[in-house]
Amino acid sequence: MQPQFTIASAVYNVDRYLSDFFASLVSQSFGFRNLEVILVDDGSTDGSLDSCRAFAADHENVRVLTQENQGQGAARNAGIAASSGEWITFVDPDDVLDEHYFQRVSAVMDRPDAADAVLFAGHTIMWDEATDARTDRHPNAFRFRNGSSIVDLEGKPNFVHGQAPLTFFRLDRVREHDVEFDDRLRTRFEDGKFVSEYLLTASRPVVGLVADAYYYYRQRADGSSSVQGARSDARTYEQVAKHGYLPLLGAADDRFGRVPRWLQALIAYDLLWLFKVEGRDGAAGRSLPRDVLDAFLDEVAATMEYLEPESVLGSDIVGFPLDDRWALAHAFRKGPIASGVIADAIDDDRDLVRLRYRYTGPRPVERILSRGVEVAPHHATDRTLSYFGRVLAHERTAWVPADGTTRVDLDGTQQTISPEETTWSPYKFRPDQERSLVEERNELTPPKFRVDFGIVALVRQSLGRAIRAVIRSMQKSSLSDTAVSLELRAPWNRKKYFDAWALIDREWDANDSAEEFYRWLRANRPEVNAWFMLSKDSPDWERLRTDGFRMVAYGSRQYRLLMIMAAELVSSHADAPIVNPFGKRYGRPRWRFTFLQHGVIKGDLSTWLNPKPIDTIVTSTPDEYRYLSGKGPYRFSTREVRLTGMPRFDALLRKSAEVSPDAVRDILIAPTWRKYLAGSLEVRSQRHGHFSGFMDSEFARAWRSLLTDPTLLELARRHDRRLVFLPHPNLSHYLPEFDLPNEIEVLQYGGLDIQEVVARSCAMITDYSSIAFNLALLGRPSVYFQFDDERYWAEHTERRGYFDYSRDGFGPVTFEAASTIEHLRELLEGNDSKYVERTRAAFPHRDGRNSERVYDAIIAAGRAIPFQVASEPFVPEA
């Protein structure tokens, strides 16, 4: 008797997962013996084949095939040839199935309205192996919101999917039309092509979606799956468009005279995933050969000739950034293209409205009129949208007067101006404000309004209204939030925190620019209601409290009150615990954020920094200022970027002046870390575990060779210098294995005053550390030991930026330990004039007044009222 279902699974080195897989098959309520199971071992080198044979020996409905390693596609094709079921599916053997999986699929197949369906699909549930959490958060989850359904993809093209493991195909149709997996697609879209070729054989693409047939997709904790590694694999870019997209599109166009919308949606979805991850970290553009990327982009251009721009711009299967969708939709079309103009933010303090538009090619000729008079933007920047090492599009941002009708012409054509809510802007329209934007004759008359602060609103209330508000709050909030809402109404809390300045370095330590800026405020602007935030268990807490700092414990109830009522947030860090500690719990903050920075930006960190709600960002060198505020990868303009210098540089200059010249005798050796060296993360920690092969890595061998070289030790003795090793915290596991000479002093982060270390250092050896800028401020050189230059830039979070180490660095660049020591010798002997001159040119401000300039920048931002105390309460939103 013909079985209803055949499972054909390609098996390759998954022995550790097979017991879970087999158990989920045997437990099927449909009846395991009613299934045909074909396991195709693709040349496994672990125990997979033995496990498969042992399973087959116990079950007569299981067969095992073997072949030399040819890839997943070839193994599945072998399974197709050996199958006999009515329907075939390709469950991956590292995943598992719900016990009712086949029973529920069969039930939907038997429905009267399913007669025309040519394939059926289960419901993907994400299974995080590390935590064992199972969540319904796959991008295709929306297809099951209304339960199981029969869908014609012509009407709902976004319901298409390209996952063969959870899909059921009619075996006779597969064989009749010679549908096979393309074994040239080894990294991605192998399933997508098979599903698409199968659907193209049907006159109508009708599919059955089974909501309660749960397929548990394992996300491997070690990141070893082919899907997880595909984006950095050159084969993805050599194969996916050439052998995947283009043959499908050509075949569809030949058969139907058009490309079905469902196929456009599937290919747009797959391409946008590549664009999304590349736009986020640029890994492919930095690591793959230029000829591979150029060929891929040419094939993308050919692909886009088949896809309508709307199929890309309207891709709603997952939340792809608009930048990525717009660049893919338009960058490959002929001629320059500009988007419509968006007015998406108001700076009410400066009477400015922000206009934005995207464009390809040269920037359009731009003409902006305010009240009929042509005006130049107060602040403007052009951000590049780069993918795979090529600039594909740009975003223009211009802040223009908001006190009258605004009109924009691009290349002589008047543009429609519309408001748009964004996810990254610190200034957002309220719904009522959006409705009040009146457009007449394509002209925008922006209203004057204050920024909506979300959680709190300044209102006047009677006692009775206040009590009713508290009751509503208690009905809708947690007990903790209710307590906060009560305390917000207390006059003593309003007097204490309203319009305060909240300063913080990091939640667990201080000794950075925020601490120095607080000291300056206390000494020079005592009228500012400033508070310093820090975890109470930090080793810096007692030091600062004893020194007279007004402290608020990070995470405490007082911290919440301060963060709700503060007018300014000032920090040397911009991570989520600083700028978004509550998530969406309390709505939009009312403070303005000044980012003091932790170090001088020298590269492209735009994907990390652009989404931050930054009102003022501090820079320290003219080149850094121009890079962040001018044309390039950053969203900022001269409106946000200020050339002030970091406050902690004031402290460094002060501490350096206190050190006698004879005491400046340390040679600081400070390597940075490498992502490729990371072992497994310790539980609930950012510290990495011990990596057994670390000392055999190029990184460890290079630095150990330098640190233990007798020539380096002799050079230090001859010049009466002390060698000081400051390893990255992740190196702490391995220090005993370095077996360092006794002459080298090892320092550890944590309670260490880096400024004092720098003040006593006459020179530095590093690879890429920004600490070199600290030495440069004092006019002291560095040697950059960059033995792994290509790999570092291919894999590091930071991309190359304006700073070229050979052209702009404060010392020579070397690639071997011997040459590093030789160049250090030249610097110690006084042959450093070229590099000392570079240090002088880099820092225009060495006057100890950086904090003063930062204060002026915050005041200039417009909303600072540091000494005004409110007489009205702040009340949380219900």
Side-chain angles (χ1 to χ4, degrees), residues 245-246 249 264 267-268 271 275 297-313 325-333:
Y245 308 151
L246 290 171
L249 293 165
Q264 292 190 52
I267 291 177
L271 257 178
F275 268 65
L297 288 171
D298 288 344
E299 289 158 0
V300 172
T303 298
M304 289 307 300
E305 291 184 9
Y306 290 98
L307 303 189
E308 300 163 356
E310 293 75 17
S311 67
V312 177
L313 291 170
R325 286 182 281 140
W326 200 90
L328 177 59
H330 296 299
F332 302 98
R333 295 168 63 189

Side-chain angles (χ1 to χ4, degrees), residues 13-177:
N13 288 352
V14 289
D15 188 42
R16 62 191 184 277
Y17 305 122
L18 288 177
S19 61
D20 290 338
F21 174 54
F22 294 156
S24 76
L25 296 183
V26 172
S27 66
Q28 287 299 306
S29 60
F30 183 78
F32 175 58
R33 292 186 177 277
N34 297 326
L35 303 172
E36 179 182 52
V37 180
I38 299 175
L39 306 172
V40 185
D41 184 81
D42 188 38
S44 295
T45 58
D46 63 357
S48 294
L49 180 56
D50 291 339
S51 295
C52 289
R53 284 173 170 165
F55 183 62
D58 293 336
H59 304 283
E60 61 183 13
N61 59 324
V62 179
R63 280 185 290 163
V64 178
L65 307 179
T66 64
Q67 63 181 34
E68 294 183 359
N69 182 252
Q70 300 175 51
Q72 179 176 252
R76 287 173 169 175
N77 289 336
I80 292 172
S83 297
S84 62
E86 181 184 357
W87 295 87
I88 187 169
T89 188
F90 303 94
V91 182
D92 283 336
D94 55 348
D95 300 328
V96 297
L97 305 175
D98 180 81
E99 62 181 333
H100 304 298
Y101 186 74
F102 290 97
Q103 180 182 347
R104 287 166 176 167
V105 172
S106 180
V108 173
M109 287 179 171
D110 291 340
R111 282 171 37 171
D113 61 342
D116 294 332
V118 294
L119 65 75
F120 293 83
H123 186 164
T124 304
I125 302 296
M126 307 302 288
W127 175 21
D128 187 335
E129 184 181 46
T131 64
D132 200 38
R134 304 189 184 198
T135 55
D136 188 14
R137 57 179 181 82
H138 189 275
N140 286 328
F142 73 93
R143 300 181 302 163
F144 301 100
R145 287 173 186 159
N146 297 318
S148 299
S149 59
I150 308 301
V151 174
D152 188 331
L153 296 179
E154 289 291 347
K156 293 184 176 181
N158 61 332
F159 273 52
V160 71
H161 76 279
Q163 299 165 277
L166 53 82
T167 303
F168 294 78
F169 308 87
R170 282 195 179 275
L171 184 59
D172 56 359
R173 180 180 287 275
V174 170
R175 287 175 172 163
E176 178 186 354
H177 295 279

Side-chain angles (χ1 to χ4, degrees), residues 378-660:
H378 285 228
H379 310 278
T381 190
D382 291 78
R383 180 170 66 95
T384 55
L385 302 179
S386 298
Y387 302 85
F388 310 105
R390 186 187 297 178
V391 175
L392 296 184
H394 305 266
E395 180 190 60
R396 174 69 167 171
T397 299
W399 290 88
V400 303
D403 57 352
T405 301
T406 302
R407 167 177 166 169
V408 178
D409 294 349
L410 299 179
D411 285 336
T413 302
Q414 185 173 345
Q415 303 296 305
T416 297
I417 303 175
S418 59
E420 179 190 74
E421 186 81 0
T422 65
T423 59
W424 54 268
S425 169
Y427 297 92
K428 299 186 179 183
F429 290 121
R430 298 187 312 238
D432 61 311
Q433 292 161 352
E434 291 182 8
R435 288 193 296 271
S436 68
L437 291 174
V438 180
E439 183 185 323
E440 297 179 359
R441 300 184 304 279
N442 289 333
E443 295 181 349
L444 178 73
T445 304
K448 291 180 66 65
F449 58 85
R450 67 172 182 83
V451 178
D452 177 34
F453 302 138
I455 175 64
V456 289
L458 190 60
V459 294
R460 186 179 302 274
Q461 299 186 50
S462 67
L463 180 60
R465 290 181 59 199
I467 292 174
R468 289 194 297 271
V470 172
I471 293 172
R472 288 195 301 270
S473 176
M474 291 178 67
Q475 292 172 339
K476 298 183 179 182
S477 303
S478 68
L479 183 61
S480 174
D481 287 347
T482 300
V484 170
S485 72
L486 288 168
E487 290 179 314
L488 284 170
R489 292 163 171 79
W492 51 88
N493 284 327
R494 297 199 305 273
K495 183 175 181 180
K496 190 175 182 180
Y497 294 134
F498 179 66
D499 266 352
W501 290 28
L503 280 71
I504 184 171
D505 281 319
R506 280 188 288 205
E507 63 267 33
W508 64 83
D509 64 16
N511 199 27
D512 207 331
S513 281
E515 176 183 332
E516 175 64 19
F517 186 52
Y518 182 95
R519 293 184 185 279
W520 185 91
L521 287 173
R522 185 176 61 177
N524 298 276
R525 295 293 186 272
E527 72 275 13
V528 173
N529 183 20
W531 296 82
F532 198 87
M533 303 179 294
L534 184 67
S535 292
K536 207 164 187 175
D537 58 355
S538 166
D540 290 320
W541 175 274
E542 189 60 28
R543 174 179 65 85
L544 298 182
R545 191 191 66 80
T546 302
D547 198 22
F549 277 49
R550 297 201 300 169
M551 307 291 290
V552 171
Y554 181 90
S556 67
R557 189 175 295 167
Q558 291 294 303
Y559 166 79
R560 292 189 195 184
L561 296 175
L562 172 59
M563 289 291 284
I564 288 172
M565 289 193 278
E568 304 291 340
L569 173 63
V570 184
S571 178
S572 56
H573 290 266
D575 298 314
I578 304 297
V579 299
N580 189 28
F582 310 127
K584 297 180 180 179
R585 184 174 182 179
Y586 296 133
R588 194 171 300 134
R590 77 175 294 264
W591 37 255
R592 301 172 65 91
F593 176 52
T594 297
F595 182 31
L596 299 177
Q597 292 216 60
H598 179 59
V600 176
I601 290 178
K602 59 186 185 300
D604 182 359
L605 296 170
S606 59
T607 54
W608 171 72
L609 206 52
N610 278 341
K612 306 296 183 183
I614 295 173
D615 296 282
T616 301
I617 181 169
V618 163
T619 59
S620 299
T621 75
D623 287 340
E624 183 192 21
Y625 172 80
R626 285 189 289 267
Y627 184 52
L628 266 66
S629 63
K631 187 173 184 177
Y634 290 94
R635 273 193 162 120
F636 311 119
S637 67
T638 52
R639 176 184 169 276
E640 297 88 5
V641 185
R642 294 286 183 269
L643 179 55
T644 63
M646 286 184 286
R648 69 178 172 84
F649 280 170
D650 292 344
L652 177 57
L653 290 171
R654 203 167 53 244
K655 293 177 182 180
S656 176
E658 296 169 355
V659 177
S660 66

Side-chain angles (χ1 to χ4, degrees), residues 805-840:
Y805 285 87
S806 296
R807 183 193 64 216
D808 307 314
F810 309 116
V813 176
T814 65
F815 303 99
E816 297 175 350
S819 62
T820 300
I821 297 169
E822 176 58 25
H823 281 290
L824 176 63
R825 180 190 62 78
E826 293 180 2
L827 296 178
L828 294 177
E829 292 178 355
N831 299 320
D832 60 354
S833 58
K834 175 174 69 173
Y835 303 115
V836 171
E837 183 56 36
R838 286 184 188 176
T839 69
R840 291 172 180 163

